[in-house]
Amino acid sequence: MTSENSQLHVVFGRSAAGTLQQALEVAGREGIVVAPYDDFSFGPIDRDDANARAQWVENELGYSDWQKIFEDSLPVLSASMEASKPPIAWISPDSAHSAAGFLWWLSHMADKECQILDVPRLSLLDPESMTEYLDKAEPLSAGRRARSLGLWLQLQAENAPLRILGDAGLMSAPLEHFDAALLEHATPEWQKMARIVAGVLGDFF
């Protein structure tokens, strides 16, 4: 049974969270791994409004019941605030999903101490590789906290449809941002949509 004093790990991606749980088992360590279900790299973020996000996702992406996705993310916040030790946030700096999720999470942490780990391509690591990072977390500095919260406030004010990674980090983008890239991978012959999307994703690695 996991002790209530076990280290809490917050991961911004469900796949990476599952791998981290396996990594803890490989390393023989206790720990609690949590991850928000929502992806704050898209949709409205100007306020914590499950209905607004759900309506946007249904209108723009065609998915229903996103309100539950948002609400299922909230226990991560309560678990983080109640943790007996400073929680460790695992951040993938090359993932807009991870970067935006971290900013959303941090904006709810008030002054609670936390630790951070910047791990490139986090979602691609296997459990053995992930164990190498277990002792590398560092306290979140006051400077980075202030910069991160300032960026989140800016992104909230802009409230763009998308948040992407640019040269200067996370930034707002229009909904049409990826259209040109998608068209580059489209051909006159019929293809599955997933194949076109995979081709675009491959360009980022």
Side-chain angles (χ1 to χ4, degrees):
M1 181 177 294
T2 302
S3 167
E4 63 180 14
N5 293 320
S6 293
Q7 179 66 60
L8 181 72
H9 300 265
V10 185
V11 187
F12 307 98
R14 303 295 295 178
S15 176
T19 305
L20 176 56
Q21 190 66 66
Q22 296 177 48
L24 291 172
E25 295 172 2
V26 168
R29 301 194 186 188
E30 286 191 342
I32 302 170
V33 181
V34 296
Y37 283 81
D38 209 341
D39 182 345
F40 295 94
S41 68
F42 60 76
I45 57 168
D46 57 331
R47 60 190 187 280
D48 282 335
D49 188 333
N51 291 327
R53 283 188 60 77
Q55 191 63 57
W56 186 92
V57 170
E58 185 169 357
N59 291 344
E60 300 295 343
L61 306 181
Y63 291 98
S64 59
D65 298 327
W66 200 265
Q67 180 176 357
K68 179 171 173 50
I69 298 294
F70 178 87
E71 292 172 348
D72 284 347
S73 300
L74 299 181
V76 173
L77 302 179
S78 56
S80 299
M81 291 299 292
E82 296 167 5
S84 58
K85 300 177 181 178
I88 297 175
W90 292 67
I91 311 159
S92 186
D94 45 21
S95 164
H97 176 181
S98 181
F102 169 68
L103 295 182
W104 170 80
W105 174 81
L106 185 64
S107 72
H108 290 83
M109 289 299 98
D111 295 327
K112 184 174 179 64
E113 293 183 12
C114 61
Q115 301 181 68
I116 57 171
L117 269 170
D118 290 303
V119 184
R121 299 193 177 188
L122 178 60
S123 64
L124 301 181
L125 295 184
D126 57 37
E128 290 284 351
S129 299
M130 204 172 281
T131 61
E132 300 176 8
Y133 293 92
L134 291 177
D135 295 316
K136 295 184 178 180
E138 298 181 350
L140 176 64
S141 68
R144 179 163 178 178
R145 181 188 290 268
R147 290 191 299 273
S148 297
L149 293 176
L151 175 57
W152 184 245
L153 287 174
Q154 175 186 330
L155 293 171
Q156 283 188 301
E158 294 167 348
N159 203 34
L162 300 178
R163 277 146 299 276
I164 63 169
L165 289 173
D167 294 337
L170 206 61
M171 58 186 290
S172 297
L175 195 60
E176 302 79 16
H177 176 79
F178 294 104
D179 285 3
L182 290 168
L183 288 172
E184 284 184 7
H185 285 270
T187 64
E189 296 76 25
W190 183 88
Q191 296 183 77
K192 290 184 177 180
M193 180 176 65
R195 183 173 182 179
I196 297 175
V197 173
V200 174
L201 291 175
D203 292 342
F204 292 93
F205 294 100

